[in-house]
């Protein structure tokens, strides 16, 4: 990652309107997502939890996109690899651990859903499910509500490239296109849908599908978080200006197996994986900050130590926290009193 | 009280509630200028504008999915499916999403959504404009399902559905639209979801059902009363999910002989659950086996008139079955 | 329609490889479809039949496309306005009348389905239903079967522009694109889906959607049947050469109400309709043939008389034919013996 | 006879039939190199190539719809849905298309298609990897539905399903995959679709069900026999559509007391229809109300272990219910 920009001494992020502080915060969130993810993998291998699904190497772009959003007004519909995204929105490692251990205090689902199934009204994260791509029309519904109420709110919805082949992708995009709704459709193209490589998922480019819906589609390198930020900021501006949706295809690579239940070497080579691991943008971004004098090895070590403590504490908390009580396991099928859901 | 057509009662409920609550809007295919293919939403776009009587692209999964999103965002959408036959593309959104949003988020999120869809045959609509899809959605916890048979209930249940904090499937019978008229209060009232209604009292046999076939039962009951002295007790379930267990058991206890009727095909229909509830709770009060008179187990009714007639229930079929049960 | 082509005296159709005889046949089929359709409308207005859904002004392109197909080997999945298409494949007016009157002898469904719901294994017309766009993945399945068996067979599937917004359009196109299957996707864009104008159905061009699936998408003027023929011939060649699918968007206009149950003046003006009626290509094509000396008023009158007789006879036959017997009304839910369906 | 795991019986049936009949092929997500997420199709791509063990894009409506097209074209597709929870996007293709093709074309076209989907919980899969979707498809005429509980039946029913001239939903229980092993003949045999099987004979109570919970019933029956001298008669429906009426009535007649079990939630489940059939035909032979022991009416089971356990049936729950019925 090298500096561009015509004015000397203006860093890339400054040229994009990001303060040094924000650039550093971005890095911190990326690192936190990475460290949480690594710990979750360890916990699964140690048999402490049943299942983890990783977002490793996708976090830098997940974090970068949130920096272009308005956390007070926008709505977020992430998918299961979006740890970088939800951490940037304010979900804590403790909350993620409560979800990983499926405990009652988990704000996402009280330990009912699998980890990676995010949801928190407080954080404007819309509850998600396992059947892929259903969240795409939901995001359009949030944008429609915003338009109807005259609110300047954008909805961001994220999904994999495999999932973009579901009918709901098409129906949602087309609906948003017709009504010029403020939605950012984010396809995180990591090359695989479980074992199926992209060339068996689609013969086109996902970004190009936007042409048929009458709005811009942009392909961006997921290993260049500042470029990701730039593209999202533009999409956000378009959305707020009433110019309608944008489809953004983030090119990335799934360096882990699909989930802890998957053996990826049954369908791809270690060489291929290693090649992509080498492209990880996390150390590159660290170097970028270091070169600018915004980051140092001491800061890194201090941050790592702080994160290790935070993650240790969260792990312990999550592990020891109680499961939802049996008496409550079947509650909330319907509202328990007529006033529920009357709010907003 | 003014007498009103069933379809007008539905339209009035939407109109009244849209006036009362700015969060309420209607979306679906042709619901705008055209006012729906049956005319159910006529006038709404003129009164409330293009956004609140919203013509959508031809895509039912999006209609449901966008409505779900809007409902989660705090709106009160009424999604119209042009025919219930065409709601199957939206099944995943209805069953995987709407029904599970409250439960999966442990009450953090909710989905106060109404999906309206016309059911039933008898309009020469053939296989795909006549179906009763109840059994597909029945038995999915998290959904409520109503199916009114009168104009009064149509308005009152639709108002209750719109105000309900959970997703409600509202199955309106397209044959009832203009055939059924009854007294409907002008102002605001609701019919509670989950409560059945005794349409007619009698001591000889009990008929339990919902939607259009009940009108055949009522006609048959009058004739049987006059001609045979047989008095039928008729219960309109009105809500098919959750079923009104107490109402069902009370109606059965009254006579000890029960005939369950619906237009949806027999196997796996709502009637099976009603029979199962009765045989679970009231076995020793029964004076006859539990009978069901329902649509035949074929994929859907043919469009040719004899085929359609052969498929559908009518007064004579009801009368014969009711008399047979009375004589048991 | 004027002649093009560099060699003098070579007509447009000859330049496309169509003999004079075929060009005249084309016209005859167009006219037959028109006359059948007009009669069906009359019958409905006279209360003889309940329902008709018209294809008027869409027939010229429907006929033209079949002339580029192989009627012995290809498979056809039409939609409800495709009278021109099925008549070109060999369905007779008598058969269409049997369907219109919902009689047992109707080969499409024995009078079970609505008119316009075509199906005839003999004519390689795949049975269709009312829920729109379900036929799109079916066509892909036929093409897949052809590829698996090494047959040189192409499947052609047709649908409206409104219907192209269903998820099944997306899923079917994408599947065919990945596997480079021999399918021609035909969107007959007639400007309306019942009351909803195209601008409320999609903000893009339907043809452009093909870009996202990695195959060509072509928009063609439906009022230029020879150009339609040309485009389909190319698509057919591509398909047979293993180059995969083509999406063809035929620009046309629905001059009738959606169906006999619709009042179109509730949502569009008579002026708009009249403007498009004036663009009807049937008289233009007649003039083209006349200018070339291939057609005359006498021939026209003779043909019209012959068609009138044929349609009269078919109407009478259809009207008098018996309905399916009540004993048979519920048959064929399942195979009646295990050998059924074992064939092919 | 070799003892084989349930999952291997399924794999073997596909392999054998693909060897025997070149029209048979498998399509679905990850069914190729990976051999399916459960390993059910392992080795098929290696043996039969990429086209006959075909990795599809992630799109269930296309998987079903393309398979339907191929079936109409004369192939014999086996479409795998990765989890039955994920077959809902294909509902329209299954209910509107596959189920109605023969009927709507008056027997001109047919749709010999198998859709395989793993059902059931107990694998810490949470809401969307544990469901039983039977009630959604049950009651749609034109579909056949099978749900084997043993390896023997799994192979025999799958072979029958592939050869069946109509669409068959094949619900395999993911908990059975590796937990259930039994004797499976090596060669070719079929288990007839539509026929139930007596798993155990007894004169005190009848248990009727399908799939995994029957194994709990068998364990409970052995204990009840030893400990209480109660002899349970256990009927495996095997096919849930069309139901084996005669088999059901015979099994009920044997004891006059019946408990119906399934993992799918109670309301609107297959058990309701079984109860309705019995109460229609055998009311006077019953010595106790018809009981059902099923999944609770909540959207789906939670992933946390106590919640999952609370949701699921097990031997103890079966035993308690069976004993209670015996003592009635
Ligand atoms: C409707 C549906 N079908 C199948 C699955 C099973 N499944 C879970 S993740 C996945 C692959 C998703 O791939 P992609 O969209 O590329 O996202 P990625 O996992 O690569 O980030 C599949 C098939 C599902 N969750 N939902
Ligand atoms: C899934 C589904 N939804 C709704 C309908 C009702 N419907 C029948 S035709 C039609 C409009 C179709 O428009 P288009 O695809 O443009 O074809 P056109 O009729 O204009 O030729 C609609 C909404 C249907 N048949 N199927
Ligand atoms: Mg992926
Ligand atoms: Mg159109």
């Amino acid at each position: 990652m090298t500096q561009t920009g015509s004015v000397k001494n203006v860093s890339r992020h400054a040229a994009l309107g990001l303060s040094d502080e924000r650039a550093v915060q971005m890095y911190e969130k990326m690192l936190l997502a990475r460290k949480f993810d690594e710990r979750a993998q360890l916990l699964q291998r140690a048999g402490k939890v049943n299942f983890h699904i990783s977002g490793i190497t996708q976090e830098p772009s997940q974090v970068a996109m949130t920096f272009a959003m308005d956390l007070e007004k926008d709505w977020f519909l992430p998918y299961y690899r979006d740890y970088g995204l939800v951490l940037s929105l304010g979900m804590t490692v403790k909350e993620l651990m409560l979800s990983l251990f499926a405990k009652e205090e988990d704000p996402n689902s009280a330990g009912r859903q699998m980890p990676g199934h995010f949801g928190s009204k407080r954080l404007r994260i819309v509850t998600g499910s396992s059947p892929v791509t259903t969240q795409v029309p939901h995001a359009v519904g949030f944008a429609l509500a915003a338009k109807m109420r005259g609110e300047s709110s954008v909805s961001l919805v994220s999904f994999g490239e495999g999932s973009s082949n579901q009918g709901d992708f098409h129906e949602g995009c087309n609906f948003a296109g017709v009504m010029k709704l403020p939605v950012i459709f984010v396809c995180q193209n990591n090359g695989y849908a479980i074992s199926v490589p992209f060339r068996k998922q689609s013969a086109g480019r996902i970004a190009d599908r936007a042409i048929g819906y009458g709005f811009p589609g942009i392909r961006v390198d997921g290993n260049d978080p500042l470029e990701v930020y730039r593209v999202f900021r533009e999409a956000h501006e378009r959305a707020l200006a009433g110019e309608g949706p944008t489809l953004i295809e983030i090119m990335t690579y799934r360096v882990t197996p699909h989930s802890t239940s998957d053996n990826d070497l049954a369908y791809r080579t270690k060489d291929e994986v290693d090649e992509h691991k080498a492209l990880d943008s996390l150390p590159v971004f660290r170097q970028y900050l270091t070169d600018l004098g915004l980051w140092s090895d001491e800061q890194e070590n201090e941050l790592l130590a702080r994160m290790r403590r935070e993650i240790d504490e969260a792990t312990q908390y999550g592990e020891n926290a109680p499961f939802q009580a049996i008496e409550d396991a079947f509650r909330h099928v319907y509202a328990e009193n007529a006033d529920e859901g009357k709010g907003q | 009280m003014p007498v009103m057509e069933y379809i007008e009662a539905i339209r009035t409920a939407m109109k009244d509630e849209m006036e009362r609550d700015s969060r309420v809007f209607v979306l679906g295919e042709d619901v705008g200028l055209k006012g729906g293919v049956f005319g159910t939403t006529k006038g709404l776009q003129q009164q409330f504008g293009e956004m609140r009587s919203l013509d959508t692209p031809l895509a039912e999964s999006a209609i449901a999915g966008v409505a779900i999103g809007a409902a989660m965002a705090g709106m009160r959408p009424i999604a119209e499916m042009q025919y219930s036959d065409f709601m199957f593309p939206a099944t995943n959104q209805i069953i995987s999403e709407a029904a599970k949003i409250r439960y999966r988020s442990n009450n953090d999120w909710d989905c106060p959504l109404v999906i309206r869809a016309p059911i039933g045959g008898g309009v020469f609509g053939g296989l795909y404009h006549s179906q009763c899809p109840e059994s597909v959605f029945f038995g999915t916890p998290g959904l409520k399902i109503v199916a009114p048979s009168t104009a009064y209930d149509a308005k009152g249940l639709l108002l209750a559905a719109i105000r309900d904090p959970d997703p409600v499937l509202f199955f309106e019978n397209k044959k009832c639209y203009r055939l059924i008229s009854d007294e409907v209060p002008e102002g605001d009232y609701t019919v509670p979801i989950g409560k059945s209604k005794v349409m007619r009292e009698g001591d000889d046999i009990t008929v339990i059902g919902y939607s259009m076939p009940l009108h055949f039962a009522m006609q048959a009951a009058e004739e049987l009363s006059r001609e045979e002295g047989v008095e039928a007790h008729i219960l309109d379930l009105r809500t098919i999910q959750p079923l009104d267990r107490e109402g069902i058991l009370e109606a059965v206890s009254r006579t000890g002989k029960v005939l369950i009727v619906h237009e949806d095909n027999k196997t796996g229909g709502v009637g099976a659950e009603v029979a199962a509830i009765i045989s679970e709770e009231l076995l020793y009060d029964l004076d006859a086996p539990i009978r069901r008179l329902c649509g035949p187990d074929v994929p859907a009714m043919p469009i040719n008139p004899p085929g359609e007639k052969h498929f559908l229930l009518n007064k004579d079929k009801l009368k014969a079955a009711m008399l047979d049960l009375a004589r048991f």
Side-chain angles (χ1 to χ4, degrees), chain A residues 182-303:
Chain A
V183 194
I184 306 177
F185 298 101
V186 187
C187 178
Q188 301 190 29
N189 187 341
N190 62 9
Y192 284 89
I194 309 187
S195 71
V196 181
F198 183 53
R199 68 168 198 288
K200 291 191 172 187
Q201 282 290 343
S202 187
R205 290 161 36 112
I206 306 301
D208 285 348
R209 292 185 182 165
I211 304 168
Y213 306 125
F215 55 77
I218 296 157
R219 205 177 235 198
V220 60
D221 177 5
N223 286 331
D224 186 349
L226 290 178
E227 179 62 5
V228 170
Y229 169 78
R230 191 188 66 75
V231 164
F232 274 80
R233 214 192 38 187
E234 265 184 38
H236 197 265
E237 280 163 11
R238 290 192 64 248
L240 286 186
E243 290 166 27
T246 308
L247 170 61
I248 299 173
E249 181 184 15
I250 298 180
M251 300 308 289
T252 174
Y253 185 87
R254 199 195 73 209
V255 299
T256 61
H258 171 72
S259 73
T260 52
S261 315
D262 181 37
N263 167 22
D264 60 326
L265 296 183
Y267 54 82
R268 63 177 180 183
T269 64
K270 194 167 170 308
D271 279 0
E272 181 188 311
V273 177
D274 288 344
E275 194 180 299
H276 284 93
K277 271 189 183 154
L279 301 173
D280 182 11
S281 63
L282 192 64
V284 180
F285 198 62
R286 176 181 169 189
Q287 193 58 52
Y288 166 82
L289 295 176
T290 309
D291 288 351
L292 289 171
L294 298 174
W295 198 246
S296 67
D297 288 357
E298 298 75 60
Q299 282 172 296
E300 177 84 6
N301 290 334
E302 198 207 307
L303 181 62

Side-chain angles (χ1 to χ4, degrees), chain A residues 18-330:
Chain A
L18 276 173
S19 67
D20 291 347
E21 200 190 339
R22 295 269 290 159
V24 170
Q25 281 171 2
M26 233 188 219
Y27 176 67
E28 293 183 352
K29 289 291 182 193
M30 294 173 188
L31 192 64
L32 184 62
R34 177 68 50 93
K35 293 296 149 192
F36 164 76
D37 206 319
E38 288 171 355
R39 177 65 60 90
Q41 291 185 40
L42 276 180
L43 289 168
Q44 194 279 335
R45 256 178 258 141
K48 295 265 188 189
V49 299
N50 277 308
F51 180 83
H52 171 64
I53 187 154
S54 167
I56 282 189
T57 72
Q58 300 182 211
E59 328 91 321
S61 52
Q62 291 165 358
V63 171
M65 64 176 93
T66 62
F67 276 68
M69 305 295 291
D70 181 340
L71 305 199
E72 305 293 316
K73 290 190 179 158
D74 295 336
W75 291 105
F76 300 89
L77 296 93
Y79 91 124
Y80 44 84
R81 298 195 197 281
D82 275 328
Y83 302 105
L85 197 156
V86 299
L87 284 166
S88 302
L89 299 181
M91 193 164 288
T92 64
V93 169
K94 182 172 146 188
E95 290 171 329
L96 289 179
M97 282 295 176
L98 284 161
S99 165
L100 189 64
F101 284 98
K103 297 304 175 70
E104 169 159 43
E105 237 188 292
D106 158 33
N108 298 285
S109 77
R112 294 173 170 194
Q113 291 218 77
M114 288 184 145
H117 288 54
F118 306 110
S120 165
K121 203 177 243 177
R122 177 178 53 89
L123 300 174
R124 308 181 70 82
I125 300 172
V126 180
T127 175
S129 63
S130 308
V132 297
T133 330
T134 50
Q135 72 273 27
V136 171
H138 300 175
V140 179
F142 273 85
L144 179 66
K147 183 167 179 162
M148 283 176 163
R149 295 189 291 225
E151 293 166 1
S152 53
S153 165
V154 178
S155 54
L156 179 157
V157 59
S158 146
F159 46 86
E161 83 293 346
S163 305
S164 76
N165 300 315
Q166 290 277 340
D168 272 359
F169 167 85
H170 176 65
E171 297 195 8
C173 286
N174 186 63
F175 194 114
V178 168
M179 300 207 60
K180 277 191 172 296
L181 296 177
V183 194
I184 306 177
F185 298 101
V186 187
C187 178
Q188 301 190 29
N189 187 341
N190 62 9
Y192 284 89
I194 309 187
S195 71
V196 181
F198 183 53
R199 68 168 198 288
K200 291 191 172 187
Q201 282 290 343
S202 187
R205 290 161 36 112
I206 306 301
D208 285 348
R209 292 185 182 165
I211 304 168
Y213 306 125
F215 55 77
I218 296 157
R219 205 177 235 198
V220 60
D221 177 5
N223 286 331
D224 186 349
L226 290 178
E227 179 62 5
V228 170
Y229 169 78
R230 191 188 66 75
V231 164
F232 274 80
R233 214 192 38 187
E234 265 184 38
H236 197 265
E237 280 163 11
R238 290 192 64 248
L240 286 186
E243 290 166 27
T246 308
L247 170 61
I248 299 173
E249 181 184 15
I250 298 180
M251 300 308 289
T252 174
Y253 185 87
R254 199 195 73 209
V255 299
T256 61
H258 171 72
S259 73
T260 52
S261 315
D262 181 37
N263 167 22
D264 60 326
L265 296 183
Y267 54 82
R268 63 177 180 183
T269 64
K270 194 167 170 308
D271 279 0
E272 181 188 311
V273 177
D274 288 344
E275 194 180 299
H276 284 93
K277 271 189 183 154
L279 301 173
D280 182 11
S281 63
L282 192 64
V284 180
F285 198 62
R286 176 181 169 189
Q287 193 58 52
Y288 166 82
L289 295 176
T290 309
D291 288 351
L292 289 171
L294 298 174
W295 198 246
S296 67
D297 288 357
E298 298 75 60
Q299 282 172 296
E300 177 84 6
N301 290 334
E302 198 207 307
L303 181 62
L304 283 173
R306 192 151 33 90
M307 284 184 182
R308 190 167 320 113
R309 266 198 311 282
E310 183 183 352
I311 294 173
D312 283 346
E313 281 169 25
T315 305
Q316 214 177 353
Y317 190 92
E319 193 168 2
N320 295 333
F323 290 115
Q324 186 163 47
I326 284 307
E327 309 84 75
D328 296 331
F330 297 164

Side-chain angles (χ1 to χ4, degrees), chain B residues 30 34 50 57-60 82 124 128-129 298 303-304 306 310:
Chain B
D30 304 293
K34 185 171 166 72
E50 274 192 280
L58 176 35
E60 285 78 9
Q82 195 157 83
F124 300 122
Y128 296 100
H129 295 78
V298 302
I303 196 172
N304 66 78
H310 184 43

